[in-house]
């Protein structure tokens, strides 16, 4: 299946300043698949070293003599490692002691060799006793498949190209088709195995089983902590559907456990964020650049990394998800807000790109703007509308009254086609990724 990150891997390959590359992401988002595809398409040969339960690798990093390490790999895999022609790929690098620190020495002593590693954020966050090679590696982040990639996986490449170009005139006749695919995406989500199962079978039960298996894998990873901390991580994780079902989606510790205090669960929340399983966005006090200056770190919202896993976690019935329009407003619009968040977040693939998304609210009033996004040239207040009633009262108050001197133009993501007014424009939900890529959040392809 085609993934947009392949173009970023090609840019890394051709960069004269490249360092060993770490492709990070939560488990099962497709890191191994895309790096193997990259190796096949872009190099004369690829040497693939799987570090999981591999006795050979256990003895490989006894020291950081890179020439010895490379020679041992050549002998083991019966392949020559040639600078400029070979991709050396260490998979599950976090599974082996000294694997991650060794990248510093590849950078210093074999900079011209193309070295990539895949590691789950879960695993790397568990190796706290090892030093991370800061400044000696390049990083890319990989996320679940976006709606655009879901279209391509379904064989709708031309429709995806049209969407990416935001060709409103050409898209207009295909509005209902795109809504139907979006409905499917809400159920399937973007985990590659779930997408592949859906495409091959169109069987909701088979797709849901894949999602349940992925969730079980994450649950087992929680158990790698102490009993107390693992239980707290599970409690936070399991509370997310209920957090999103609230009218005000600000994270409330009382939903995790009655009488809970922030100090009990903040470490668990941060671990889930670091693992890439949840996204956390903070409230800001005003929409002034740089937005990070106006963060209220005590107030935040939390989202799942994948809308399909969210549907699975909360037990949403396939009939409700796949038939009719109820899915878009079900669960107080939580699926739709989570969907929009995941599409914007997936554009943050490089270091330094993860301070773009916030939200706004006031304790003294019900005024709330779902997302405040810092684009390349402007601040974008975003209101997400899942129901047919799309009156944007909060967005209008925010732009035309609360911060009228800021000359902001708002964005409404809804089920309606493209439209624009002086103070606000509307885009259909299926155009979220394309719109924010155009606004400068994503790397150009």
């Amino acid at each position: 299946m085609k993934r947009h990150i392949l173009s970023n891997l090609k840019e890394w390959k051709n960069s004269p300043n490249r360092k060993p590359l770490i492709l990070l992401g939560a488990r099962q988002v497709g890191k191994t698949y895309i790096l193997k595809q990259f190796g096949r398409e872009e190099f004369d040969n690829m040497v693939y070293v799987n570090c999981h339960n591999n006795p050979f690798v256990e003895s490989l990093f006894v020291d950081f003599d890179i020439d010895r390490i490379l020679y041992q790999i050549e002998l083991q895999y019966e392949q020559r490692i040639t600078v400029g022609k070979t991709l050396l790929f260490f998979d599950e690098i976090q599974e082996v002691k000294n694997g991650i620190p060794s990248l510093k020495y590849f950078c210093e002593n074999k900079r011209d060799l193309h070295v990539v590693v895949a590691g789950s954020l879960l695993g790397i966050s568990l190796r706290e006793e090892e030093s991370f090679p800061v400044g000696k590696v390049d990083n890319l982040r990989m996320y679940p498949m976006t709606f655009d990639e879901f279209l391509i996986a379904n064989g709708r490449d031309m429709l995806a190209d049209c969407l990416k170009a935001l060709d409103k005139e050409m898209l207009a006749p295909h509005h209902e088709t795109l809504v139907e695919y979006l409905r499917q995406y809400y159920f399937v989500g973007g985990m590659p195995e779930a997408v592949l199962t859906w495409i091959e079978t169109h069987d909701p039960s088979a797709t849901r089983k894949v999602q349940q298996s992925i969730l079980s894998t994450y649950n087992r990873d929680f158990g790698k902590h102490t009993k107390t901390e693992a239980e707290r991580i599970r409690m936070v994780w399991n509370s997310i559907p209920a957090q999103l079902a609230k009218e005000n989606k600000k994270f409330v510790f009382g939903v995790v456990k009655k009488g809970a205090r922030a100090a009990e669960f903040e470490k668990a929340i941060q671990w889930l964020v670091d693992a890439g399983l949840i996204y956390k966005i903070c409230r800001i006090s005003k929409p002034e650049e740089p937005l990070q200056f106006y963060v209220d770190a005590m107030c935040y919202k939390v989202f799942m990394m994948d809308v399909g896993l969210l549907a699975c976690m909360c037990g949403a019935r396939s009939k409700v998800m796949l038939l009719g329009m109820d899915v878009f407003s079900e669960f107080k619009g939580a699926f739709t807000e989570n969907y929009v968040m995941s599409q914007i977040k997936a554009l943050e693939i490089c270091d330094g790109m993860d301070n773009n998304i916030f939200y706004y609210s006031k304790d003294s009033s019900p005024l709330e703007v779902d997302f405040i996004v810092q684009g390349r040239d402007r601040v974008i207040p975003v209101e997400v509308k899942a129901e047919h009633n799309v009156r944007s009262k909060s967005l209008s108050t925010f732009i035309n009254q609360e911060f009228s001197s800021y000359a902001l133009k708002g964005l409404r993501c809804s089920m309606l086609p493209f439209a624009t007014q002086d103070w606000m424009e509307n885009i259909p939900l299926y155009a979220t990724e394309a719109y924010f890529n155009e606004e400068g959040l994503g790397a150009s392809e």
Side-chain angles (χ1 to χ4, degrees):
M1 293 185 288
K2 182 180 177 182
R3 303 299 303 270
H4 294 325
I5 201 167
L6 187 60
S7 63
N8 304 105
L9 292 171
K10 292 176 182 177
E11 288 178 10
W12 169 81
K13 176 197 172 187
N14 296 321
S15 170
N17 300 314
R18 70 174 180 276
K19 304 168 187 175
L21 176 70
I22 300 180
L23 183 61
L24 292 166
R27 290 197 190 279
Q28 302 190 51
V29 296
K31 301 182 297 297
T32 299
Y33 176 91
I34 199 64
L35 286 175
K36 283 186 174 181
Q37 181 182 346
F38 175 55
R40 289 192 302 269
E41 294 180 0
E42 296 294 320
F43 295 86
D44 291 353
N45 71 310
M46 174 181 62
V47 178
Y48 173 71
V49 182
N50 190 336
C51 300
H52 179 66
N53 286 338
N54 187 338
F56 164 71
V57 179
E58 292 295 331
S59 62
L60 190 60
F61 299 109
V62 292
D63 59 33
F64 298 118
D65 182 340
I66 299 303
D67 288 332
R68 178 195 60 78
I69 290 171
L70 291 175
Y71 184 56
Q72 294 279 22
I73 293 173
E74 288 182 327
L75 288 176
Q76 177 71 13
Y77 294 97
E78 291 288 337
Q79 289 194 69
R80 290 292 182 189
I81 298 175
T82 306
V83 169
K85 296 182 178 181
T86 301
L87 179 67
L88 177 57
F89 174 15
F90 294 104
D91 201 2
E92 297 292 348
I93 188 73
Q94 76 283 349
E95 295 286 334
V96 61
K97 184 178 180 181
N98 289 329
I100 296 167
S102 74
L103 299 177
K104 172 185 175 181
Y105 301 93
F106 275 102
C107 178
E108 292 177 348
N109 302 325
K110 214 71 174 177
R111 182 75 170 266
D112 50 354
L113 181 64
H114 291 85
V115 179
V116 296
V117 305
S120 75
L121 289 160
L122 276 166
I124 288 177
S125 67
L126 289 172
R127 299 203 71 93
E128 295 175 350
E129 75 280 3
E130 294 185 353
S131 61
F132 190 85
V134 177
K136 301 295 183 179
V137 294
D138 293 323
N139 293 292
L140 281 177
R141 285 283 298 271
M142 193 169 184
Y143 298 88
M145 297 173 71
T146 62
F147 177 65
D148 180 65
E149 290 173 320
F150 182 74
L151 281 178
I152 295 169
N154 278 276
R156 302 307 304 262
D157 301 58
M158 294 180 68
L159 191 57
D161 288 343
C162 193
L163 186 58
K164 181 182 175 183
L166 288 175
D167 191 332
K168 302 172 186 178
E169 195 172 311
M170 293 298 292
L171 287 169
H174 304 284
H175 178 75
E176 293 304 322
T177 299
L178 287 162
V179 169
E180 172 58 32
Y181 278 115
L182 184 60
R183 184 186 294 109
Q184 294 177 29
Y185 183 80
Y186 274 35
F187 176 76
V188 177
M191 301 305 285
E193 187 181 357
V195 173
L196 185 61
T197 300
W198 174 254
I199 291 170
E200 290 179 344
T201 68
H202 275 78
D203 181 346
S205 296
T207 304
R208 183 55 57 84
K209 285 179 181 177
V210 170
Q211 293 167 334
Q212 289 168 342
S213 176
I214 293 170
L215 291 173
S216 294
T217 298
Y218 294 155
N219 193 58
R220 288 193 296 273
D221 281 314
F222 302 158
K224 295 177 181 178
H225 286 268
T226 64
K227 184 177 180 181
T228 300
E229 197 58 41
E231 185 58 29
R232 287 175 178 168
I233 292 170
R234 287 192 182 98
M235 290 172 73
V236 170
W237 177 250
N238 292 332
S239 80
I240 293 174
Q243 301 281 356
L244 290 171
K246 297 187 286 85
E247 202 69 50
N248 178 349
K249 294 177 175 59
K250 172 189 169 185
F251 190 89
V252 176
F253 288 95
V255 174
V256 180
K257 186 180 78 171
K258 187 175 181 180
R261 296 173 299 168
E264 290 181 78
F265 291 97
E266 282 184 336
K267 186 176 179 182
I269 292 171
Q270 191 57 50
W271 188 86
L272 288 166
V273 170
D274 292 342
L277 299 184
I278 65 173
Y279 305 141
K280 173 183 171 183
I281 63 169
C282 292
R283 182 168 73 173
I284 56 168
S285 58
K286 58 180 178 179
E288 188 170 313
E289 297 182 75
L291 296 178
Q292 190 70 36
F293 281 5
Y294 305 101
V295 163
D296 175 3
M298 301 304 293
C299 294
Y300 50 85
K301 299 194 287 188
V302 166
F303 297 90
M304 288 275 291
M305 70 162 178
D306 181 67
V307 70
L309 293 183
L310 173 62
C312 181
M313 273 184 72
C314 67
R317 292 180 293 119
S318 58
K319 185 176 180 180
V320 173
M321 299 287 292
L322 295 168
L323 299 175
M325 299 295 287
D326 288 346
V327 61
F328 299 112
S329 57
E330 192 78 6
F331 206 28
K332 292 191 172 74
F335 288 128
T336 297
E337 197 166 330
N338 204 107
Y339 159 78
V340 170
M341 176 64 193
S342 68
Q343 302 306 290
I344 302 174
K345 187 69 179 176
L347 296 169
E348 298 180 346
I349 59 169
C350 299
D351 285 345
M353 294 180 66
D354 56 354
N355 294 314
N356 291 313
I357 314 170
F358 307 87
Y359 80 101
Y360 177 85
S361 69
K362 292 180 70 175
D363 292 331
S364 58
S365 81
L367 175 64
E368 178 171 337
V369 178
D370 297 319
F371 300 108
I372 308 292
V373 181
Q374 186 158 339
R376 179 181 51 237
D377 301 316
R378 65 186 182 109
V379 172
I380 310 166
V382 183
E383 191 161 69
V384 178
K385 288 291 186 180
E387 301 185 36
H388 293 292
N389 178 6
V390 293
R391 288 184 60 197
S392 302
K393 185 177 179 181
S394 286
L395 187 61
S396 176
T397 301
F398 179 85
I399 290 173
N400 297 318
Q401 298 178 33
E402 198 80 10
F403 295 101
S404 58
S405 63
Y406 284 62
L408 299 168
K409 184 164 186 175
L411 176 71
R412 182 179 65 205
C413 302
S414 76
M415 295 309 300
L416 298 180
F418 293 96
T420 188
Q421 302 176 31
D422 289 340
W423 63 275
M424 181 268 291
E425 60 184 320
N426 182 90
I427 64 167
L429 285 162
Y430 52 73
T432 301
E433 179 191 1
Y435 182 91
F436 282 101
N437 190 53
E438 187 76 12
E439 286 289 339
L441 267 75
S444 61
E445 292 188 25

